[in-house]
Amino acid sequence: PGTRSDVLENIQNWLRRSNEGGSEQTYLLTGPPGSGKTVIANSVAKDFHDAALLASSFFFSRSDAVRSTPRNVCLTIARDLARLNPQLAGLIVDRLRSDSSTITSWTLLQQWKDFVVPPLSLLPAEPIYVILFDALDEIALEDRVELLEVLTSALLPPNLRLFISCRFEPDIQ
């Protein structure tokens, strides 16, 4: 407690500016290994969760087979959105049932467009919701490129903000 308060205040200011009509939908926190990015991401996740603003979070890890790839990101976000707003659960479940046998072969972009964007667009315009990705640099380059393409090419709903933490990597910058 009390450490990195300037960084946390900066993040809160980013979200506040977003709520006041600012256009910065993505916050990128970078730093060298061991600089506390994951500690900050955990604090941000807790703060946003406590304020009912955390739509979802995904903490990547090179040493965990499930968390070392973005393959499960969209379905994790969809699950979290269903938990956030029970009215969305039916929509998400219906979509899962309609194509459950083929979902694993979908591209990340298809999953994003089918399971993330529609539920988010049904949420009220306020408050602003945050999806948090920690340690984006922990996934393989080709997977990271695909995820970054999804996050940068797909139009984000106006009520969505992305918080991303990672080591400084040129492809992410």
Side-chain angles (χ1 to χ4, degrees), residues 140-163:
L141 181 60
E142 61 274 5
D143 289 336
R144 190 164 66 219
V145 166
E146 182 182 16
L147 179 58
L148 288 170
E149 284 176 1
V150 168
L151 297 178
T152 58
S153 67
L155 187 61
L156 299 177
N159 60 338
L160 177 64
R161 301 296 178 264
L162 303 176
F163 177 91

Side-chain angles (χ1 to χ4, degrees), residues 59-105:
F59 288 76
F60 291 104
S61 174
R62 187 175 289 123
S63 62
D64 182 328
V66 174
R67 296 185 313 134
S68 65
T69 173
R71 207 170 305 126
N72 297 313
V73 164
C74 292
L75 295 177
T76 298
I77 294 170
R79 179 206 62 208
D80 292 344
L81 289 172
R83 288 179 180 166
L84 178 70
N85 185 321
Q87 294 174 338
L88 299 179
L91 170 78
I92 293 167
V93 167
D94 289 346
R95 189 65 187 109
L96 283 168
R97 284 187 181 138
S98 69
D99 283 320
S100 62
S101 62
T102 62
I103 290 170
T104 55
S105 66

